[in-house]
Amino acid sequence: METKPKNLIIACLALLFLIGQTGCISSDLPNENLIPKPVSAIGERGSFDLTDQTNIFVRGDSPEIKRIGQYLADILNPSTKLGIEVKTTDTEPNPGSIYLALLPADAELGEEGYELDITSKSISLTANFPSGLFHGIQTIRQLLPARVEKKEGQKGPWKISNGIIRDYPAYSYRGSMLDVARHFFSVDEVKRFIDHLAFYKMNVLHLHLSDDQGWRIEIKSWPNLTAHGGKTEVGGSDGGYYTQKQYSELVKYAEDQYITIIPEIDMPGHTNAALASYGVLNCDGKASELYTGVEVGFSSLCTHKEITYKFINDVVGELAAITPGPYIHIGGDESHSTPIEDYIPFVNRVQEIVTLHGKKVLGWDEIALSTLKPNAVVQYWSKTENAIKGLAQGAKVLMSPAKNAYLDMQYDSISMFGLHWAGYIEVDDGYNWDPARLVPEIRKENIIGIEAPLWSETVSNITEAEYLIFPRLPGYAEVGWTPSEKRNWGDYISRLAHHRERWKAMGINFYPSKLVPWK
Ligand code: IFG
């Protein structure tokens, strides 16, 4: 039977009417450009509008949940000018409001997951723990137009598509590292880096606080470490350091965004700044010269002297006392000037010291050559055989494969900043890898998570650093958060393309990769 065009049109109109009535037309919630991609997002018809009637209601009187509500209000108000306030309620909130509440256990959401229910009447954000609410707020930010991130008033409307999002991370450790030793970064620059991590639901900041070129954390019992060892940096300009008060300010700033700071004191190699500050730490008793180059592997603490272990005990003790997080990172990489027969007992003793101060050990993959303490974590960066040695001792692995995850690698042979000893890492190289399949012997159950380190030999301030961080950091955030079976390059890159307008609204510098169909 030949279908007349007229009948076809009538049939389509009828179908559209039917869909419209049943509300099953899916809104664009699942197609929003969220990064990391949520575990599930089901769209419904219509949208929620932020208006001057909108307030944020917090169930109960918890100061922490009210602070989280205020965090959201402080993002929304400068751009929307809606004067959104945080109120508490024990009943259902007013229509048109955003509602934050901790739920009784919703096992599937775990420690960091959340559920976001958006209807035309209200937004309800619930989670088992405050960190889940905080991650849900990042999703609300990304569901609003990019101009919401601006600090000056913007035109409305402020619509969020209706639907339900249930979301939780694949890995519990989703981090980055900032090398503040090669080049020093101010407290405000580190805070800005923390904001970037929080926006993409990352939850660890590893601070590389000491190296050949600089010692960056005040140690009261060894004051010359910063007075002398903090003086300079790569290239010879003024260095800097964090007082313990400033370090604690950074820890609190990170904690308020559900980010754990892990401090690293790299040893026995990468220690010239300490060796230049105290002659007694050198085997010949003579202080070395300050160093402003970029070579590695030439320095070593004197592993035969008892004073070395008193030094380490003092340093670790003072650092552990101002570090609420569970780990102290002991470095251990590139100790080319420490004979292996000295390196192994040295790392064993350092692990003992860290454990005595109530912290767990994290170290670059070479530490697997020693006898690892229970709960020690091996940070795989270069040698697979070291990571496998760690597994053989029952250690977990933190995945930071240099050829996929080093943020200080150039994008290509002509891009500014960065090195290329591990290869070039374009946006696709940084995204198209699965931590649980990269090395056959390292399986998902052996992995605590991923970390994308930013070494700072070639960048000296946050703007230069952002050129290396963006657009690759969102990819690492998704590798750490979204189940690998839900990840694919084509879908990811079309979402990433929409984030440029957000970075512009936030004043973030970025590399305009040709691989991204920027919107
Ligand atoms: N390797 C060194 C870093 C830094 C890096 C630059 C590690 C663990 C090369 N060690 O990566 O100090 O110089 O890409």
Side-chain angles (χ1 to χ4, degrees):
M1 177 198 88
E2 182 236 339
T3 313
K4 291 193 177 43
K6 197 169 68 142
N7 295 347
L8 203 57
I9 291 168
I10 290 167
C12 288
L13 287 174
L15 181 64
L16 274 178
F17 177 73
L18 194 67
I19 289 173
Q21 288 313 303
T22 58
C24 73
I25 191 164
S26 79
S27 80
D28 47 10
L29 185 65
N31 314 317
E32 292 295 344
N33 303 299
L34 296 173
I35 297 177
K37 187 183 182 76
V39 170
S40 82
I42 300 161
E44 272 146 28
R45 213 159 57 88
S47 62
F48 174 85
D49 290 67
L50 287 176
T51 70
D52 54 12
Q53 299 306 306
T54 301
N55 285 306
I56 296 168
F57 281 83
V58 168
R59 192 177 73 183
D61 207 17
S62 144
E64 181 173 9
I65 314 300
K66 282 196 279 191
R67 179 180 59 75
I68 293 173
Q70 194 56 51
Y71 167 89
L72 175 58
D74 293 346
I75 289 164
L76 299 178
N77 283 330
S79 47
T80 65
K81 296 288 181 211
L82 292 174
I84 294 169
E85 292 174 28
V86 177
K87 300 176 185 289
T88 56
T89 172
D90 278 328
T91 59
E92 279 303 302
N94 301 352
S97 58
I98 298 171
Y99 180 55
L100 307 183
L102 289 184
L103 267 186
D106 179 338
E108 187 189 45
L109 298 184
E111 288 245 324
E112 297 188 80
Y114 62 91
E115 178 169 310
L116 188 56
D117 294 274
I118 306 149
T119 70
S120 303
K121 260 186 55 232
S122 69
I123 292 181
S124 160
L125 172 58
T126 54
N128 292 327
F129 296 94
S131 54
L133 295 179
F134 188 77
H135 294 320
I137 280 177
Q138 307 313 326
T139 301
I140 292 174
R141 288 172 74 176
Q142 290 191 18
L143 289 172
L144 283 162
R147 63 184 188 278
V148 77
E149 298 297 342
K150 288 191 177 273
K151 293 292 173 245
E152 54 286 333
Q154 305 297 310
K155 279 205 320 298
W158 302 102
K159 287 181 177 302
I160 299 183
S161 307
N162 287 348
I164 296 179
I165 290 178
R166 277 180 67 79
D167 199 11
Y168 46 88
Y171 292 101
S172 60
Y173 186 128
R174 305 176 310 280
S176 184
M177 182 205 83
L178 186 57
D179 168 8
V180 297
R182 276 43 183 275
H183 279 99
F184 179 66
F185 288 79
S186 69
V187 168
D188 285 344
E189 289 181 307
V190 178
K191 285 182 175 179
R192 183 171 168 83
F193 191 51
I194 290 169
D195 293 343
H196 298 341
L197 298 178
F199 186 61
Y200 286 105
K201 301 190 178 85
M202 296 179 98
N203 64 359
V204 175
L205 172 59
H206 166 182
L207 282 177
H208 185 75
L209 291 166
S210 67
D211 211 300
D212 291 320
Q213 297 85 351
W215 186 283
R216 305 298 181 207
I217 178 69
E218 175 194 13
I219 300 295
K220 298 181 191 298
S221 50
W222 295 73
N224 219 30
L225 289 170
T226 43
H228 185 64
K231 259 190 197 141
T232 184
E233 60 181 19
V234 165
S237 40
D238 290 349
Y241 66 90
Y242 310 112
T243 62
Q244 292 195 3
K245 189 163 172 295
Q246 287 171 317
Y247 175 81
S248 298
E249 183 186 334
L250 287 172
V251 166
K252 171 90 174 65
Y253 189 84
E255 221 168 40
D256 283 351
Q257 301 197 57
Y258 300 92
I259 290 170
T260 300
I261 282 194
I262 296 180
E264 176 185 353
I265 299 296
D266 203 345
M267 45 188 156
H270 286 278
T271 42
N272 184 72
L275 297 168
S277 305
Y278 288 96
V280 71
L281 295 175
N282 298 264
C283 285
D284 63 4
K286 292 199 197 81
S288 63
E289 293 302 313
L290 289 174
Y291 178 68
T292 59
V294 291
E295 293 305 312
V296 297
F298 60 86
S299 58
S300 174
L301 290 174
C302 187
T303 58
H304 308 145
K305 289 174 130 179
E306 269 316 300
I307 185 84
T308 298
Y309 302 97
K310 177 183 177 341
F311 165 72
I312 293 167
N313 186 53
D314 292 344
V315 169
V316 170
E318 289 193 35
L319 204 46
I322 52 177
T323 299
Y327 290 102
I328 297 275
H329 197 301
I330 62 172
D333 64 305
E334 298 179 321
S335 300
H336 306 323
S337 301
T338 316
I340 187 67
E341 61 274 14
D342 298 337
Y343 175 86
I344 290 174
F346 172 86
V347 174
N348 290 342
R349 273 189 79 170
V350 172
Q351 290 184 81
E352 200 55 47
I353 291 170
V354 169
T355 307
L356 285 175
H357 287 286
K359 298 298 177 185
K360 291 191 275 188
V361 168
L362 179 54
W364 300 106
D365 61 48
E366 293 94 325
I367 66 164
L369 298 168
S370 72
T371 306
L372 294 172
K373 277 285 180 196
N375 299 319
V377 171
V378 170
Q379 182 163 11
Y380 167 53
W381 68 283
S382 155
K383 289 200 172 41
T384 310
E385 59 272 25
N386 288 341
I388 293 168
K389 280 194 175 71
L391 295 182
Q393 296 193 57
K396 294 275 188 196
V397 175
L398 172 62
M399 294 295 280
S400 297
K403 61 184 187 314
N404 303 85
Y406 267 31
L407 279 166
D408 67 313
M409 291 302 115
Q410 284 174 275
Y411 291 91
D412 60 24
S413 59
I414 54 171
S415 61
M416 273 172 68
F417 306 118
L419 304 170
H420 55 267
W421 65 269
Y424 299 113
I425 299 183
E426 244 293 3
V427 178
D428 54 350
D429 305 311
Y431 182 81
N432 288 330
W433 63 290
D434 177 352
R437 293 177 192 280
L438 191 73
V439 177
E441 296 85 347
I442 306 176
R443 313 178 63 76
K444 188 159 189 314
E445 60 269 17
N446 306 123
I447 297 169
I448 61 163
I450 81 152
E451 181 185 290
L454 175 60
W455 299 102
S456 63
E457 282 94 336
T458 65
V459 289
S460 56
N461 60 51
I462 194 67
T463 305
E464 294 175 357
E466 286 173 352
Y467 179 92
L468 292 173
I469 297 165
F470 291 92
R472 291 178 292 196
L473 186 80
Y476 298 121
E478 184 152 312
V479 170
W481 180 280
T482 306
S484 57
E485 61 274 13
K486 288 181 179 288
R487 293 199 294 118
N488 80 69
W489 171 248
D491 169 63
Y492 171 69
I493 204 68
S494 67
R495 286 181 279 123
L496 183 67
H498 290 269
H499 280 237
R500 175 173 65 169
E501 53 174 341
R502 292 188 186 276
W503 303 333
K504 284 187 165 174
M506 296 154 109
I508 293 174
N509 186 26
F510 62 95
Y511 171 70
S513 168
K514 293 179 188 60
L515 298 185
V516 186
W518 298 111
K519 290 286 175 272

